[in-house]
mmCIF file of all heavy atoms in Angstrom:
data_model
loop_
_atom_site.group_PDB
_atom_site.id
_atom_site.type_symbol
_atom_site.label_atom_id
_atom_site.label_comp_id
_atom_site.label_asym_id
_atom_site.label_seq_id
_atom_site.Cartn_x
_atom_site.Cartn_y
_atom_site.Cartn_z
ATOM 1 N N VAL A 28 -9.787 -2.420 16.731
ATOM 2 C CA VAL A 28 -8.926 -3.514 16.367
ATOM 3 C C VAL A 28 -8.151 -3.285 15.134
ATOM 4 O O VAL A 28 -6.972 -3.487 15.060
ATOM 5 C CB VAL A 28 -9.736 -4.823 16.276
ATOM 6 C CG1 VAL A 28 -8.898 -6.028 15.778
ATOM 7 C CG2 VAL A 28 -10.486 -5.173 17.518
ATOM 8 N N ALA A 29 -8.864 -2.861 14.047
ATOM 9 C CA ALA A 29 -8.281 -2.620 12.783
ATOM 10 C C ALA A 29 -9.167 -1.672 11.949
ATOM 11 O O ALA A 29 -10.367 -1.621 12.224
ATOM 12 C CB ALA A 29 -8.109 -3.974 12.008
ATOM 13 N N ALA A 30 -8.576 -1.011 11.014
ATOM 14 C CA ALA A 30 -9.283 -0.076 10.166
ATOM 15 C C ALA A 30 -8.689 -0.208 8.734
ATOM 16 O O ALA A 30 -7.631 -0.373 8.585
ATOM 17 C CB ALA A 30 -9.309 1.330 10.701
ATOM 18 N N ILE A 31 -9.600 0.156 7.817
ATOM 19 C CA ILE A 31 -9.141 0.195 6.365
ATOM 20 C C ILE A 31 -9.746 1.396 5.765
ATOM 21 O O ILE A 31 -11.004 1.608 5.809
ATOM 22 C CB ILE A 31 -9.498 -1.113 5.657
ATOM 23 C CG1 ILE A 31 -8.965 -1.143 4.300
ATOM 24 C CG2 ILE A 31 -10.964 -1.470 5.758
ATOM 25 C CD1 ILE A 31 -8.916 -2.530 3.627
ATOM 26 N N ARG A 32 -8.968 2.185 5.045
ATOM 27 C CA ARG A 32 -9.494 3.302 4.306
ATOM 28 C C ARG A 32 -10.095 2.953 3.007
ATOM 29 O O ARG A 32 -9.956 1.807 2.573
ATOM 30 C CB ARG A 32 -8.325 4.355 4.131
ATOM 31 C CG ARG A 32 -7.772 4.871 5.450
ATOM 32 C CD ARG A 32 -6.683 5.959 5.216
ATOM 33 N NE ARG A 32 -6.168 6.176 3.854
ATOM 34 C CZ ARG A 32 -5.127 6.986 3.743
ATOM 35 N NH1 ARG A 32 -4.587 7.629 4.759
ATOM 36 N NH2 ARG A 32 -4.644 7.220 2.523
ATOM 37 N N GLY A 33 -10.775 3.912 2.388
ATOM 38 C CA GLY A 33 -11.298 3.602 1.102
ATOM 39 C C GLY A 33 -10.275 3.250 0.048
ATOM 40 O O GLY A 33 -10.547 2.472 -0.863
ATOM 41 N N ASP A 34 -9.029 3.754 0.195
ATOM 42 C CA ASP A 34 -7.972 3.435 -0.746
ATOM 43 C C ASP A 34 -7.169 2.211 -0.340
ATOM 44 O O ASP A 34 -6.248 1.864 -0.963
ATOM 45 C CB ASP A 34 -6.996 4.609 -0.795
ATOM 46 C CG ASP A 34 -6.355 4.969 0.495
ATOM 47 O OD1 ASP A 34 -6.594 4.249 1.539
ATOM 48 O OD2 ASP A 34 -5.679 5.911 0.570
ATOM 49 N N GLY A 35 -7.614 1.492 0.849
ATOM 50 C CA GLY A 35 -7.140 0.217 1.056
ATOM 51 C C GLY A 35 -5.955 0.316 2.140
ATOM 52 O O GLY A 35 -5.453 -0.693 2.608
ATOM 53 N N ILE A 36 -5.555 1.432 2.611
ATOM 54 C CA ILE A 36 -4.617 1.650 3.659
ATOM 55 C C ILE A 36 -5.159 1.097 4.997
ATOM 56 O O ILE A 36 -6.282 1.440 5.279
ATOM 57 C CB ILE A 36 -4.171 3.116 3.765
ATOM 58 C CG1 ILE A 36 -3.620 3.630 2.481
ATOM 59 C CG2 ILE A 36 -3.097 3.254 4.925
ATOM 60 C CD1 ILE A 36 -2.379 2.917 2.082
ATOM 61 N N THR A 37 -4.393 0.361 5.640
ATOM 62 C CA THR A 37 -4.832 -0.379 6.893
ATOM 63 C C THR A 37 -3.986 0.107 8.061
ATOM 64 O O THR A 37 -2.882 0.575 7.952
ATOM 65 C CB THR A 37 -4.753 -1.857 6.760
ATOM 66 O OG1 THR A 37 -3.438 -2.257 6.505
ATOM 67 C CG2 THR A 37 -5.626 -2.356 5.641
ATOM 68 N N ASN A 38 -4.644 -0.020 9.256
ATOM 69 C CA ASN A 38 -3.904 0.097 10.496
ATOM 70 C C ASN A 38 -4.513 -0.878 11.542
ATOM 71 O O ASN A 38 -5.595 -1.255 11.383
ATOM 72 C CB ASN A 38 -3.837 1.539 11.025
ATOM 73 C CG ASN A 38 -5.181 2.039 11.470
ATOM 74 O OD1 ASN A 38 -5.918 2.465 10.621
ATOM 75 N ND2 ASN A 38 -5.417 1.991 12.767
ATOM 76 N N TYR A 39 -3.649 -1.264 12.476
ATOM 77 C CA TYR A 39 -4.034 -2.259 13.418
ATOM 78 C C TYR A 39 -3.620 -1.930 14.888
ATOM 79 O O TYR A 39 -2.592 -1.231 15.068
ATOM 80 C CB TYR A 39 -3.299 -3.571 13.119
ATOM 81 C CG TYR A 39 -3.710 -4.192 11.740
ATOM 82 C CD1 TYR A 39 -2.968 -3.893 10.668
ATOM 83 C CD2 TYR A 39 -4.756 -5.026 11.624
ATOM 84 C CE1 TYR A 39 -3.296 -4.369 9.424
ATOM 85 C CE2 TYR A 39 -5.084 -5.536 10.411
ATOM 86 C CZ TYR A 39 -4.347 -5.198 9.270
ATOM 87 O OH TYR A 39 -4.753 -5.665 8.067
ATOM 88 N N ALA A 40 -4.455 -2.359 15.778
ATOM 89 C CA ALA A 40 -4.032 -2.316 17.196
ATOM 90 C C ALA A 40 -2.702 -3.166 17.386
ATOM 91 O O ALA A 40 -2.591 -4.173 16.751
ATOM 92 C CB ALA A 40 -5.098 -2.800 18.112
ATOM 93 N N ASP A 41 -1.787 -2.670 18.266
ATOM 94 C CA ASP A 41 -0.571 -3.510 18.475
ATOM 95 C C ASP A 41 -0.838 -4.914 18.889
ATOM 96 O O ASP A 41 -0.075 -5.783 18.530
ATOM 97 C CB ASP A 41 0.273 -2.746 19.536
ATOM 98 C CG ASP A 41 0.899 -1.514 19.128
ATOM 99 O OD1 ASP A 41 0.908 -1.232 17.823
ATOM 100 O OD2 ASP A 41 1.276 -0.667 19.976
ATOM 101 N N SER A 42 -1.956 -5.144 19.623
ATOM 102 C CA SER A 42 -2.218 -6.419 20.133
ATOM 103 C C SER A 42 -2.549 -7.406 19.123
ATOM 104 O O SER A 42 -2.504 -8.686 19.333
ATOM 105 C CB SER A 42 -3.324 -6.389 21.132
ATOM 106 O OG SER A 42 -4.513 -5.793 20.546
ATOM 107 N N VAL A 43 -2.922 -6.968 17.821
ATOM 108 C CA VAL A 43 -3.318 -7.966 16.812
ATOM 109 C C VAL A 43 -2.385 -7.895 15.637
ATOM 110 O O VAL A 43 -2.584 -8.614 14.662
ATOM 111 C CB VAL A 43 -4.815 -7.680 16.368
ATOM 112 C CG1 VAL A 43 -5.702 -7.762 17.521
ATOM 113 C CG2 VAL A 43 -5.003 -6.379 15.646
ATOM 114 N N LYS A 44 -1.397 -6.989 15.591
ATOM 115 C CA LYS A 44 -0.574 -6.856 14.440
ATOM 116 C C LYS A 44 0.198 -8.192 14.167
ATOM 117 O O LYS A 44 0.648 -8.871 15.032
ATOM 118 C CB LYS A 44 0.499 -5.806 14.681
ATOM 119 C CG LYS A 44 -0.003 -4.405 14.396
ATOM 120 C CD LYS A 44 1.182 -3.359 14.689
ATOM 121 C CE LYS A 44 0.602 -1.915 14.472
ATOM 122 N NZ LYS A 44 1.601 -0.916 14.817
ATOM 123 N N GLY A 45 0.109 -8.521 12.906
ATOM 124 C CA GLY A 45 0.764 -9.797 12.453
ATOM 125 C C GLY A 45 -0.126 -11.042 12.632
ATOM 126 O O GLY A 45 0.238 -12.121 12.060
ATOM 127 N N ARG A 46 -1.286 -10.851 13.282
ATOM 128 C CA ARG A 46 -2.194 -12.005 13.369
ATOM 129 C C ARG A 46 -3.532 -11.730 12.711
ATOM 130 O O ARG A 46 -4.108 -12.706 12.144
ATOM 131 C CB ARG A 46 -2.491 -12.242 14.901
ATOM 132 C CG ARG A 46 -1.221 -12.533 15.702
ATOM 133 C CD ARG A 46 -1.652 -13.034 17.109
ATOM 134 N NE ARG A 46 -2.343 -11.890 17.809
ATOM 135 C CZ ARG A 46 -3.454 -12.043 18.416
ATOM 136 N NH1 ARG A 46 -4.185 -13.226 18.208
ATOM 137 N NH2 ARG A 46 -4.089 -11.084 19.019
ATOM 138 N N PHE A 47 -3.931 -10.529 12.641
ATOM 139 C CA PHE A 47 -5.264 -10.158 12.072
ATOM 140 C C PHE A 47 -5.042 -9.410 10.711
ATOM 141 O O PHE A 47 -4.102 -8.585 10.606
ATOM 142 C CB PHE A 47 -6.137 -9.277 12.925
ATOM 143 C CG PHE A 47 -6.579 -9.963 14.184
ATOM 144 C CD1 PHE A 47 -6.156 -11.226 14.563
ATOM 145 C CD2 PHE A 47 -7.634 -9.292 14.979
ATOM 146 C CE1 PHE A 47 -6.681 -11.861 15.629
ATOM 147 C CE2 PHE A 47 -8.069 -9.928 16.113
ATOM 148 C CZ PHE A 47 -7.641 -11.126 16.498
ATOM 149 N N THR A 48 -5.964 -9.554 9.770
ATOM 150 C CA THR A 48 -5.855 -8.864 8.497
ATOM 151 C C THR A 48 -7.256 -8.350 8.186
ATOM 152 O O THR A 48 -8.248 -9.075 8.100
ATOM 153 C CB THR A 48 -5.364 -9.723 7.398
ATOM 154 O OG1 THR A 48 -4.051 -10.225 7.738
ATOM 155 C CG2 THR A 48 -5.254 -8.946 6.102
ATOM 156 N N ILE A 49 -7.356 -7.001 7.960
ATOM 157 C CA ILE A 49 -8.620 -6.490 7.529
ATOM 158 C C ILE A 49 -8.586 -6.237 6.023
ATOM 159 O O ILE A 49 -7.565 -5.869 5.490
ATOM 160 C CB ILE A 49 -8.863 -5.097 8.291
ATOM 161 C CG1 ILE A 49 -10.218 -4.578 7.968
ATOM 162 C CG2 ILE A 49 -7.854 -4.069 7.905
ATOM 163 C CD1 ILE A 49 -10.718 -3.376 8.808
ATOM 164 N N SER A 50 -9.717 -6.546 5.413
ATOM 165 C CA SER A 50 -9.752 -6.344 3.925
ATOM 166 C C SER A 50 -11.180 -5.942 3.656
ATOM 167 O O SER A 50 -12.133 -6.029 4.437
ATOM 168 C CB SER A 50 -9.404 -7.665 3.247
ATOM 169 O OG SER A 50 -10.282 -8.723 3.538
ATOM 170 N N ARG A 51 -11.402 -5.579 2.321
ATOM 171 C CA ARG A 51 -12.725 -5.156 1.929
ATOM 172 C C ARG A 51 -13.054 -5.611 0.564
ATOM 173 O O ARG A 51 -12.124 -5.748 -0.246
ATOM 174 C CB ARG A 51 -12.818 -3.600 2.088
ATOM 175 C CG ARG A 51 -11.885 -2.849 1.160
ATOM 176 C CD ARG A 51 -11.824 -1.375 1.465
ATOM 177 N NE ARG A 51 -13.161 -0.773 1.283
ATOM 178 C CZ ARG A 51 -13.644 0.300 1.921
ATOM 179 N NH1 ARG A 51 -12.798 0.872 2.908
ATOM 180 N NH2 ARG A 51 -14.852 0.787 1.694
ATOM 181 N N ASP A 52 -14.311 -5.683 0.186
ATOM 182 C CA ASP A 52 -14.759 -6.009 -1.137
ATOM 183 C C ASP A 52 -15.782 -4.912 -1.493
ATOM 184 O O ASP A 52 -16.956 -4.951 -0.966
ATOM 185 C CB ASP A 52 -15.405 -7.411 -1.153
ATOM 186 C CG ASP A 52 -15.827 -7.842 -2.593
ATOM 187 O OD1 ASP A 52 -16.098 -6.985 -3.392
ATOM 188 O OD2 ASP A 52 -15.803 -9.039 -2.823
ATOM 189 N N ASN A 53 -15.410 -4.025 -2.350
ATOM 190 C CA ASN A 53 -16.292 -2.830 -2.639
ATOM 191 C C ASN A 53 -17.407 -3.140 -3.575
ATOM 192 O O ASN A 53 -18.285 -2.490 -3.738
ATOM 193 C CB ASN A 53 -15.489 -1.671 -3.180
ATOM 194 C CG ASN A 53 -14.524 -1.067 -2.178
ATOM 195 O OD1 ASN A 53 -14.748 -1.158 -1.071
ATOM 196 N ND2 ASN A 53 -13.477 -0.450 -2.759
ATOM 197 N N VAL A 54 -17.310 -4.422 -4.137
ATOM 198 C CA VAL A 54 -18.436 -4.935 -4.901
ATOM 199 C C VAL A 54 -19.569 -5.477 -4.086
ATOM 200 O O VAL A 54 -20.742 -5.259 -4.247
ATOM 201 C CB VAL A 54 -17.974 -5.948 -6.033
ATOM 202 C CG1 VAL A 54 -19.196 -6.543 -6.747
ATOM 203 C CG2 VAL A 54 -17.049 -5.327 -6.963
ATOM 204 N N LYS A 55 -19.194 -6.155 -3.044
ATOM 205 C CA LYS A 55 -20.083 -6.813 -2.157
ATOM 206 C C LYS A 55 -20.402 -5.877 -0.907
ATOM 207 O O LYS A 55 -21.239 -6.273 -0.080
ATOM 208 C CB LYS A 55 -19.543 -8.171 -1.627
ATOM 209 C CG LYS A 55 -19.331 -9.200 -2.632
ATOM 210 C CD LYS A 55 -18.781 -10.524 -2.098
ATOM 211 C CE LYS A 55 -18.737 -11.536 -3.178
ATOM 212 N NZ LYS A 55 -18.174 -12.929 -2.637
ATOM 213 N N ASN A 56 -19.811 -4.758 -0.850
ATOM 214 C CA ASN A 56 -20.002 -3.886 0.294
ATOM 215 C C ASN A 56 -19.743 -4.585 1.578
ATOM 216 O O ASN A 56 -20.582 -4.481 2.562
ATOM 217 C CB ASN A 56 -21.422 -3.239 0.257
ATOM 218 C CG ASN A 56 -21.571 -2.171 -0.741
ATOM 219 O OD1 ASN A 56 -20.781 -1.941 -1.592
ATOM 220 N ND2 ASN A 56 -22.691 -1.419 -0.733
ATOM 221 N N THR A 57 -18.681 -5.282 1.642
ATOM 222 C CA THR A 57 -18.340 -6.068 2.746
ATOM 223 C C THR A 57 -16.942 -5.919 3.257
ATOM 224 O O THR A 57 -16.019 -5.737 2.428
ATOM 225 C CB THR A 57 -18.587 -7.580 2.457
ATOM 226 O OG1 THR A 57 -19.925 -7.779 2.125
ATOM 227 C CG2 THR A 57 -18.237 -8.464 3.687
ATOM 228 N N VAL A 58 -16.814 -5.879 4.560
ATOM 229 C CA VAL A 58 -15.360 -5.718 5.139
ATOM 230 C C VAL A 58 -15.164 -6.994 5.862
ATOM 231 O O VAL A 58 -16.119 -7.601 6.582
ATOM 232 C CB VAL A 58 -15.266 -4.482 6.028
ATOM 233 C CG1 VAL A 58 -16.311 -4.497 7.217
ATOM 234 C CG2 VAL A 58 -13.805 -4.345 6.497
ATOM 235 N N TYR A 59 -13.986 -7.516 5.883
ATOM 236 C CA TYR A 59 -13.581 -8.730 6.537
ATOM 237 C C TYR A 59 -12.522 -8.543 7.576
ATOM 238 O O TYR A 59 -11.773 -7.579 7.570
ATOM 239 C CB TYR A 59 -13.106 -9.727 5.501
ATOM 240 C CG TYR A 59 -14.012 -10.031 4.310
ATOM 241 C CD1 TYR A 59 -13.957 -9.379 3.089
ATOM 242 C CD2 TYR A 59 -15.078 -11.014 4.455
ATOM 243 C CE1 TYR A 59 -14.770 -9.564 2.093
ATOM 244 C CE2 TYR A 59 -15.892 -11.204 3.444
ATOM 245 C CZ TYR A 59 -15.782 -10.536 2.289
ATOM 246 O OH TYR A 59 -16.598 -10.795 1.179
ATOM 247 N N LEU A 60 -12.461 -9.489 8.506
ATOM 248 C CA LEU A 60 -11.387 -9.527 9.433
ATOM 249 C C LEU A 60 -10.967 -11.022 9.554
ATOM 250 O O LEU A 60 -11.664 -11.822 10.117
ATOM 251 C CB LEU A 60 -11.835 -9.018 10.813
ATOM 252 C CG LEU A 60 -10.664 -8.857 11.851
ATOM 253 C CD1 LEU A 60 -9.631 -7.760 11.412
ATOM 254 C CD2 LEU A 60 -11.198 -8.575 13.251
ATOM 255 N N GLN A 61 -9.754 -11.281 9.029
ATOM 256 C CA GLN A 61 -9.211 -12.590 9.132
ATOM 257 C C GLN A 61 -8.351 -12.627 10.412
ATOM 258 O O GLN A 61 -7.482 -11.870 10.532
ATOM 259 C CB GLN A 61 -8.246 -12.879 7.926
ATOM 260 C CG GLN A 61 -7.571 -14.189 7.948
ATOM 261 C CD GLN A 61 -8.539 -15.402 7.905
ATOM 262 O OE1 GLN A 61 -9.422 -15.424 7.085
ATOM 263 N NE2 GLN A 61 -8.283 -16.469 8.657
ATOM 264 N N MET A 62 -8.641 -13.536 11.250
ATOM 265 C CA MET A 62 -8.043 -13.641 12.499
ATOM 266 C C MET A 62 -7.311 -15.004 12.623
ATOM 267 O O MET A 62 -7.951 -16.005 12.586
ATOM 268 C CB MET A 62 -9.051 -13.526 13.734
ATOM 269 C CG MET A 62 -9.900 -12.218 13.513
ATOM 270 S SD MET A 62 -11.033 -12.001 14.963
ATOM 271 C CE MET A 62 -12.022 -13.409 14.844
ATOM 272 N N ASN A 63 -6.006 -14.907 12.793
ATOM 273 C CA ASN A 63 -5.186 -16.116 12.888
ATOM 274 C C ASN A 63 -4.469 -16.100 14.223
ATOM 275 O O ASN A 63 -4.387 -15.111 14.868
ATOM 276 C CB ASN A 63 -4.150 -16.156 11.767
ATOM 277 C CG ASN A 63 -4.788 -16.127 10.375
ATOM 278 O OD1 ASN A 63 -5.880 -16.730 10.160
ATOM 279 N ND2 ASN A 63 -4.077 -15.653 9.371
ATOM 280 N N THR A 64 -3.971 -17.300 14.609
ATOM 281 C CA THR A 64 -3.216 -17.486 15.804
ATOM 282 C C THR A 64 -4.003 -16.787 17.042
ATOM 283 O O THR A 64 -3.391 -16.011 17.761
ATOM 284 C CB THR A 64 -1.789 -16.863 15.777
ATOM 285 O OG1 THR A 64 -1.210 -17.173 14.456
ATOM 286 C CG2 THR A 64 -0.949 -17.433 16.857
#
């Protein structure tokens, strides 16, 4: 669906582009996926 590199660069499947956002918190060791629409 989506990927994020250690430097924050992201990429997305075409089916979710513009609707989903992947992010990360390196302090909490957590990755997120915000899914809209």
